Amino acid sequence: KRASVFGLYGASQGIAASSGQLIGGLLLYWNPWDLDWRMVFFFSVPLGLIILSMIPFIQESKEPVKTRLDLSGAVLIAAGLLMLVYPLVQGQKEGWPALLIISLIMSVPVLAVFAWFEKRLLKHGRVPFMNVQLFRHKMFTVGMLIVFILLCSQAAFFLVTAYLLQVGLGFSALKAGSVILPMGLGYFAASLMSSRISARIGPHVLTIGSALTVLGFLTLALSVHATGIGFNGYKWIPALAVLGIGQGFVAAPITNIVLSKIRPGDIGSASGILTTGMQVAFAIGIGLIGIVW
């Protein structure tokens, strides 16, 4: 049943991404208490409280034997990711000072020490913060790479599109958010269909999704070039819908495929690596497109 479950999971991601754009636009349009863009962050507080109130209703699995938290591993991975991501996001803005360049370079040995330390814990029978041995599974490693590339491109797309619509074409945040809606709807529909298609053709659903994603990006680029500053949103809808469908056919099944060969005892660690990788990829995607642009 996991394929159907992850299909619903992907569908919720798609509708959340597109509705989030609209909600952000509405908040800026209403501008309660004259908070302007700060309202978007203030709005996150009640959402966080709602999530906290729902947590007790979710039963979490527990280990029969209590284990000690690997604080050293937690500190190493946090430091390594901070040294990697912060320069990528802030380097362009701050003019690439020597300290940020050194931080970026030194993140590699820090992350390498983290991997070595986690392997050492495993050899001594202790529970590591991250089970790095999972990357020995080819499907898990390749799947993580696909997720990384997909989320990097998504982050870059949303940033560049926001600048194009709001700064370049003078759209309001609400109108810019509504332009993204066809992509979210395509993502939603494809995620729901992905489990059925995956059941018939297996991992080849990723090939179809990847091809549609490429086609969507290319068609969108041509549509943007054709419309120029005389924007006609209707001309973007087919390309955005194809792009959303393609990404939906990748994002929903990839979670199931990445975790399919992981033994039940390691599912928690593997899903933790997956979701962390998604967040890091999104941050790196924004940083890289900022540097290139």
Side-chain angles (χ1 to χ4, degrees), residues 13-33:
Q13 283 183 319
I15 206 69
S18 56
S19 62
Q21 304 280 335
L22 286 172
I23 292 170
L26 282 169
L27 290 173
L28 289 170
Y29 177 75
W30 290 329
N31 194 20
W33 306 300

Side-chain angles (χ1 to χ4, degrees), residues 11 27 61 93 116 120 147 156 164 167 172 186 252 288:
L27 290 173
S61 59
K93 181 180 178 181
W116 170 81
R120 187 167 172 267
V147 168
L164 170 64
V167 179
S172 66
L288 289 178

Side-chain angles (χ1 to χ4, degrees), residues 14-200:
I15 206 69
S18 56
S19 62
Q21 304 280 335
L22 286 172
I23 292 170
L26 282 169
L27 290 173
L28 289 170
Y29 177 75
W30 290 329
N31 194 20
W33 306 300
D34 291 324
L35 289 174
D36 201 36
W37 56 267
R38 297 168 187 82
M39 186 60 201
V40 175
F41 295 97
F42 180 77
F43 183 74
S44 298
V45 176
L47 289 181
L49 293 174
I50 291 171
I51 292 169
L52 283 173
S53 68
M54 293 167 65
I55 287 176
F57 297 99
I58 301 176
Q59 293 185 353
E60 179 59 279
S61 59
K62 295 181 180 180
E63 287 287 345
V65 181
K66 287 187 176 181
T67 56
R68 190 171 62 181
L69 178 63
D70 174 21
L71 288 174
S72 299
V75 171
L76 280 170
I77 187 66
L81 290 177
L82 179 64
M83 293 167 68
L84 172 67
V85 174
Y86 185 83
L88 290 175
V89 174
Q90 291 293 111
Q92 188 80 6
K93 181 180 178 181
E94 298 182 15
W96 289 105
L99 186 61
L100 289 189
I101 295 174
I102 292 170
S103 172
L104 189 61
I105 295 171
M106 290 304 298
S107 67
V108 177
V110 170
L111 291 172
V113 170
F114 165 74
W116 170 81
F117 183 77
E118 299 300 275
K119 287 181 180 179
R120 187 167 172 267
L121 288 183
L122 281 170
K123 286 182 181 179
H124 287 81
R126 289 184 55 191
V127 179
F129 184 77
M130 179 188 292
N131 187 355
V132 293
Q133 300 281 40
L134 292 174
F135 287 98
R136 289 187 174 183
H137 296 275
K138 183 179 178 182
M139 189 172 290
F140 180 78
T141 303
V142 174
M144 284 296 301
L145 182 60
I146 293 172
V147 168
F148 182 82
I149 294 171
L150 179 67
L151 268 293
C152 274
S153 67
Q154 275 189 2
F157 168 79
F158 281 127
L159 181 66
V160 172
T161 305
Y163 267 94
L164 170 64
L165 294 173
Q166 295 184 58
V167 179
L169 300 178
F171 281 21
S172 66
L174 178 58
K175 189 174 180 181
S178 65
V179 171
I180 306 297
L181 188 58
M183 179 180 172
L185 294 176
Y187 197 110
F188 177 79
S191 297
L192 290 178
M193 293 187 295
S194 64
S195 59
R196 295 180 181 179
I197 297 175
S198 182
R200 293 181 180 180

